[in-house]
Amino acid sequence: MSDTEALVASLRATFRSGRTKPLAWRRAQLTALRALFTDNREAIADALHADLRKPRPEAYGAEVDLPVREIDHTLAHLEEWLAPEPLGAHALAGLPEGTTAGTHYEPLGTVLVIAPWNYPVQLSLVPVAGALASGNTVLLKPSELAPATSALMARLVPEYLDRDAVAVVEGGVPETTELLAQRFDHIFYTGNGTVGRIVMRAAAEHLTPVTLELGGKSPVFVDRDADIDTVATRLAESKFRNAGQTCVAPDYVLTDPATAQRLAAALAEATERMFGSDPQTSAAYGRLVNQRHFDRVAALLDSGTLAFGGTTDRDDVYIAPTVLTGVKAEDPVMQEEIFGPVLPIVEVADLDEAIAFINDRDKPLALYGFTGNATTRARLVAETSSGGIGFGLPMAHLRVPDLPFGGVGESGLGSYHGPHSIATFSHRRARLDVPLS
Ligand code: NAD
């Protein structure tokens, strides 16, 4: 038996023992995971700085405070979410008197979580929290592209969590390939669609259900009536955070030609307010994760007209916050998810053209709108599809734990956060009780 097989077998044995099922065990693990975050706030921020030059406020907000809020919300509601749901007597017509029926959640067993590098703590440990809250044992495979964070989690997880029930395996493609050959009861993958397909194929061998949290080009529609300074401030904050390497970051803007010019100017001002005149010297601005991603994003700059930014420094994996105007659908920057600090503005005549542009492409992970017009909002909701849709403040929907977070079509399969994590990491079992006499 290989080490990997032995590890998965030991996690299965722990699950079989029944000890992960009681509410008390689940709550104890969540409480311990909460302590992992609060005790190690600085160490987490240090690791994220080493891997991504992640500014400390971003590290605290997205990689400590958000997971802690998610855990607190789960601790507050777990019992209620797990409560069996009885069917009303009207649904049991034709069955003997006294019959009852309903559904309840049961844990799936042993879950594999495969995480990416861009929010390497949040996107590892929030799924782990959901799997533990649901009563499973878990194997976490963090991203090798964020090595300091991966090593930190490999050290801290066994210090805080039940070692027989939670394991961390570090590594890249060979290690993940070996893990994927094992039988799990659920695989939760966050990353790109190419690897998502590899994961789904491997899962099919064992009929293992998967959640795929993928990406895509998330559009932003800006209406001519929107207050342009507010739009620019909120767009710059969401696009340039983590140097654009956020799965739900605005990917491109669709707006009319006159608004495009005003918006580009307002974005330049908003960006300077955030990072000063030279973002490379700003502690508030991050870096690309590595030179491969630097090269990929730098090659997209040759599209449309440069409104501002555009400077690069390969040795420092630095790309300035950049806005491009007059971008066409055929330009390189519109062919793939940007996943970097480059914001193209594509001109459309009106809402009809914007909706057609969106629907001509894969369903995105998020779609954003800035408009005061309720009819425009209603049309965007009714006539497009995306994992989530947010008006007025990009990326904020993922901070609401009762909203399901996930994609549709090319942007993913399944969802999590709050009660949706329980649904993802559990089986909803049907139960019928017919009296014997
Ligand atoms: P990544 O390269 O870190 O890959 C993710 C995981 O897949 C890693 O653990 C890696 O080891 C593993 N992996 C890579 N190649 C593999 C292979 N050939 N076989 C098996 N496993 C393999 O991350 P990434 O894909 O570069 O992340 C960026 C993408 O993730 C973007 O498309 C982004 O939109 C998406 N994303 C989505 C979400 C979400 O919540 N929906 C969050 C973050 C990122």
Side-chain angles (χ1 to χ4, degrees), residues 114-118 123 141-145 171-173 176-177 180 189-192 195 198 213-216 247 293 337 339 365 405:
I114 304 176
W117 50 265
N118 61 334
L123 298 175
K141 211 299 289 176
S143 175
E144 72 281 19
L145 300 185
V173 176
T176 314
T177 305
L180 286 172
Y189 169 79
T190 304
N192 65 75
V195 177
I198 295 173
E213 294 280 341
L214 311 177
C247 56
H293 279 276
E337 178 181 0
F339 223 56
L365 186 56
F405 180 63

Coordinates of all heavy atoms in Angstrom, one line a residue, residues 114-118 123 141-145 171-173 176-177 180 189-192 195 198 213-216 247 293 337 339 365 405, ligand 1:
I114 N -9.0 20.4 -3.2 CA -7.8 20.8 -4.0 C -7.9 22.3 -4.2 O -8.9 22.8 -4.7 CB -7.8 20.1 -5.4 CG1 -7.8 18.6 -5.2 CG2 -6.5 20.5 -6.1 CD1 -7.9 17.9 -6.5
A115 N -6.9 23.1 -3.7 CA -7.1 24.5 -3.6 C -6.1 25.2 -4.5 O -5.1 24.7 -4.9 CB -6.8 25.0 -2.2
P116 N -6.4 26.5 -4.9 CA -5.6 27.3 -5.8 C -4.7 28.2 -5.0 O -4.7 28.2 -3.7 CB -6.5 28.1 -6.6 CG -7.6 28.4 -5.6 CD -7.7 27.2 -4.7
W117 N -3.9 29.0 -5.7 CA -2.9 29.9 -5.0 C -3.3 31.3 -4.8 O -2.6 32.0 -4.1 CB -1.6 29.9 -5.9 CG -1.9 30.3 -7.4 CD1 -2.1 29.4 -8.4 CD2 -2.1 31.6 -7.9 NE1 -2.4 30.0 -9.6 CE2 -2.4 31.4 -9.3 CE3 -2.1 32.9 -7.4 CZ2 -2.7 32.5 -10.1 CZ3 -2.4 33.9 -8.3 CH2 -2.7 33.7 -9.6
N118 N -4.4 31.8 -5.4 CA -4.7 33.2 -5.3 C -5.2 33.7 -4.0 O -4.9 34.8 -3.6 CB -5.6 33.6 -6.5 CG -6.9 33.0 -6.5 OD1 -7.1 31.9 -6.0 ND2 -7.9 33.6 -7.1
L123 N -9.4 29.7 0.3 CA -10.0 28.8 -0.6 C -9.5 27.3 -0.3 O -10.0 26.4 -0.9 CB -9.6 29.1 -2.1 CG -10.1 30.5 -2.5 CD1 -9.6 30.8 -3.9 CD2 -11.7 30.5 -2.5
K141 N -5.3 19.5 -0.3 CA -4.1 19.6 -1.1 C -4.0 21.1 -1.5 O -4.7 21.5 -2.4 CB -4.3 18.7 -2.4 CG -3.0 18.2 -2.9 CD -2.0 19.2 -3.4 CE -2.5 19.9 -4.6 NZ -1.6 21.0 -5.1
P142 N -3.2 21.9 -0.8 CA -3.0 23.3 -1.1 C -2.2 23.4 -2.4 O -1.6 22.5 -2.9 CB -2.2 23.9 0.0 CG -2.0 22.8 1.0 CD -2.3 21.5 0.4
S143 N -2.2 24.7 -3.0 CA -1.5 24.9 -4.2 C 0.0 25.0 -4.0 O 0.5 25.8 -3.1 CB -2.0 26.2 -4.9 OG -1.2 26.4 -6.0
E144 N 0.7 24.3 -4.9 CA 2.2 24.4 -4.8 C 2.7 25.8 -5.3 O 3.9 26.1 -5.1 CB 2.8 23.3 -5.7 CG 2.7 23.4 -7.2 CD 1.3 23.1 -7.7 OE1 0.3 23.0 -7.0 OE2 1.2 22.9 -9.0
L145 N 1.8 26.5 -5.9 CA 2.3 27.9 -6.4 C 2.3 28.9 -5.3 O 2.7 30.0 -5.5 CB 1.4 28.3 -7.6 CG 1.4 27.4 -8.8 CD1 0.6 28.0 -10.0 CD2 2.9 27.1 -9.2
G171 N 2.1 19.5 -2.5 CA 2.7 19.0 -3.8 C 2.0 19.6 -5.0 O 1.0 20.4 -4.9
G172 N 2.5 19.2 -6.2 CA 1.9 19.7 -7.4 C 1.2 18.6 -8.2 O 0.5 17.8 -7.7
V173 N 1.5 18.6 -9.5 CA 0.8 17.7 -10.4 C 1.0 16.2 -10.0 O 0.0 15.5 -9.9 CB 1.1 18.0 -11.9 CG1 0.4 17.0 -12.8 CG2 0.7 19.4 -12.2
T176 N -1.0 15.4 -6.9 CA -2.5 15.6 -7.1 C -3.0 14.4 -7.9 O -4.0 13.9 -7.7 CB -2.8 16.9 -7.8 OG1 -2.1 17.9 -7.1 CG2 -4.3 17.2 -7.7
T177 N -2.2 14.0 -8.9 CA -2.6 12.9 -9.8 C -2.7 11.6 -9.0 O -3.7 10.9 -9.2 CB -1.5 12.7 -10.9 OG1 -1.4 14.0 -11.6 CG2 -1.9 11.7 -11.9
L180 N -5.8 11.8 -7.0 CA -7.0 11.7 -7.8 C -7.3 10.2 -8.2 O -8.4 9.9 -8.6 CB -7.0 12.6 -9.0 CG -7.2 14.1 -8.8 CD1 -6.9 14.9 -10.0 CD2 -8.6 14.4 -8.3
Y189 N -12.9 21.1 -5.9 CA -11.7 21.6 -6.7 C -12.0 23.1 -7.0 O -13.0 23.5 -7.5 CB -11.5 20.9 -8.0 CG -10.5 21.6 -8.9 CD1 -9.1 21.5 -8.6 CD2 -10.9 22.4 -9.9 CE1 -8.2 22.2 -9.4 CE2 -10.0 23.1 -10.7 CZ -8.7 23.0 -10.4 OH -7.8 23.7 -11.2
T190 N -11.0 23.9 -6.6 CA -11.0 25.3 -7.1 C -9.8 25.6 -8.0 O -8.7 25.3 -7.6 CB -11.0 26.3 -5.8 OG1 -12.0 26.0 -4.9 CG2 -11.1 27.7 -6.3
G191 N -10.0 26.2 -9.1 CA -8.9 26.5 -10.0 C -9.5 26.7 -11.4 O -10.6 27.1 -11.6
N192 N -8.7 26.2 -12.4 CA -9.1 26.5 -13.8 C -9.8 25.4 -14.4 O -9.8 24.2 -14.0 CB -7.8 26.9 -14.6 CG -6.9 25.7 -14.8 OD1 -7.1 24.8 -15.5 ND2 -5.8 25.8 -14.0
V195 N -7.9 22.0 -15.6 CA -7.7 21.0 -14.5 C -9.0 20.5 -14.0 O -9.1 19.3 -13.6 CB -6.8 21.6 -13.4 CG1 -6.6 20.6 -12.3 CG2 -5.4 22.0 -14.0
I198 N -9.8 17.5 -15.7 CA -9.0 16.3 -15.3 C -9.6 15.8 -14.0 O -9.7 14.6 -13.8 CB -7.5 16.8 -15.0 CG1 -6.9 17.2 -16.4 CG2 -6.7 15.7 -14.4 CD1 -5.5 17.9 -16.2
E213 N -15.1 24.8 -8.6 CA -15.2 26.3 -8.5 C -14.2 26.8 -9.5 O -13.0 26.9 -9.2 CB -14.8 26.7 -7.0 CG -15.8 26.2 -6.0 CD -17.1 27.1 -5.9 OE1 -17.0 28.3 -6.4 OE2 -18.1 26.7 -5.4
L214 N -14.7 27.3 -10.6 CA -13.8 27.7 -11.7 C -13.8 29.2 -11.9 O -14.3 29.9 -11.0 CB -14.1 26.9 -13.0 CG -14.3 25.4 -12.8 CD1 -14.7 24.7 -14.1 CD2 -13.0 24.8 -12.3
G215 N -13.4 29.7 -13.0 CA -13.3 31.1 -13.2 C -14.1 31.6 -14.5 O -15.2 31.1 -14.7
G216 N -13.5 32.5 -15.2 CA -14.2 33.0 -16.4 C -14.0 34.5 -16.5 O -13.4 35.1 -15.6
C247 N -10.9 35.3 -8.6 CA -11.8 34.6 -9.5 C -13.0 35.4 -9.9 O -13.5 35.3 -11.0 CB -12.2 33.3 -9.0 SG -13.0 33.3 -7.4
H293 N 2.8 33.6 -15.1 CA 1.6 34.4 -15.1 C 1.9 35.8 -15.5 O 1.1 36.4 -16.2 CB 0.9 34.3 -13.8 CG 0.1 33.1 -13.6 ND1 -1.2 32.9 -14.1 CD2 0.3 31.9 -13.0 CE1 -1.7 31.7 -13.8 NE2 -0.7 31.1 -13.2
E337 N -9.7 34.5 -19.6 CA -9.8 35.2 -18.3 C -8.5 35.9 -18.1 O -7.4 35.3 -18.2 CB -10.0 34.1 -17.2 CG -10.1 34.7 -15.9 CD -10.4 33.6 -14.8 OE1 -10.4 32.5 -15.1 OE2 -10.4 34.0 -13.6
F339 N -7.2 37.5 -15.2 CA -6.5 37.1 -13.9 C -5.3 37.9 -13.7 O -4.2 37.4 -13.3 CB -6.2 35.6 -13.9 CG -6.6 34.9 -12.6 CD1 -7.9 35.0 -12.1 CD2 -5.6 34.2 -11.9 CE1 -8.2 34.4 -10.9 CE2 -6.0 33.6 -10.7 CZ -7.2 33.7 -10.2
L365 N -18.5 33.5 -14.0 CA -18.6 33.3 -12.5 C -19.5 34.4 -11.9 O -20.3 34.1 -11.0 CB -17.3 33.1 -11.9 CG -17.2 32.7 -10.4 CD1 -17.9 31.4 -10.2 CD2 -15.8 32.7 -9.9
F405 N -22.2 30.3 -3.3 CA -21.1 30.8 -4.1 C -20.6 29.7 -5.0 O -20.1 28.7 -4.6 CB -19.9 31.3 -3.2 CG -18.8 31.8 -4.0 CD1 -18.9 33.0 -4.8 CD2 -17.6 31.2 -4.0 CE1 -17.9 33.4 -5.6 CE2 -16.5 31.7 -4.8 CZ -16.7 32.8 -5.6
Ligands
NAD1 P1 -3.5 26.3 -9.5 O1 -2.6 26.3 -10.6 O2 -3.0 26.6 -8.1 O3 -4.3 25.0 -9.6 C1 -5.3 24.6 -8.7 C2 -5.0 23.3 -8.1 O4 -4.9 22.3 -9.2 C3 -3.6 23.2 -7.4 O5 -3.8 22.5 -6.2 C4 -2.8 22.4 -8.4 O6 -1.8 21.6 -7.7 C5 -3.8 21.5 -9.1 N1 -3.3 21.1 -10.4 C6 -2.7 21.9 -11.3 N2 -2.5 21.2 -12.4 C7 -3.0 19.9 -12.2 C8 -3.0 18.7 -13.0 N3 -2.6 18.6 -14.3 N4 -3.6 17.6 -12.5 C9 -4.1 17.6 -11.2 N5 -4.1 18.8 -10.4 C10 -3.5 19.8 -10.9 O7 -4.6 27.4 -9.7 P2 -5.1 28.1 -11.0 O8 -6.0 27.1 -11.8 O9 -4.0 28.8 -11.7 O10 -6.1 29.2 -10.4 C11 -6.6 30.2 -11.2 C12 -8.0 29.8 -11.7 O11 -8.8 29.5 -10.7 C13 -8.7 31.0 -12.4 O12 -9.3 30.5 -13.5 C14 -9.7 31.4 -11.4 O13 -10.8 32.1 -11.9 C15 -10.0 30.2 -10.7 N6 -10.5 30.4 -9.4 C16 -11.8 30.1 -9.1 C17 -12.3 30.4 -7.8 C18 -13.7 30.1 -7.4 O14 -13.9 30.2 -6.2 N7 -14.6 29.8 -8.3 C19 -11.4 30.9 -6.8 C20 -10.1 31.1 -7.2 C21 -9.6 30.8 -8.4

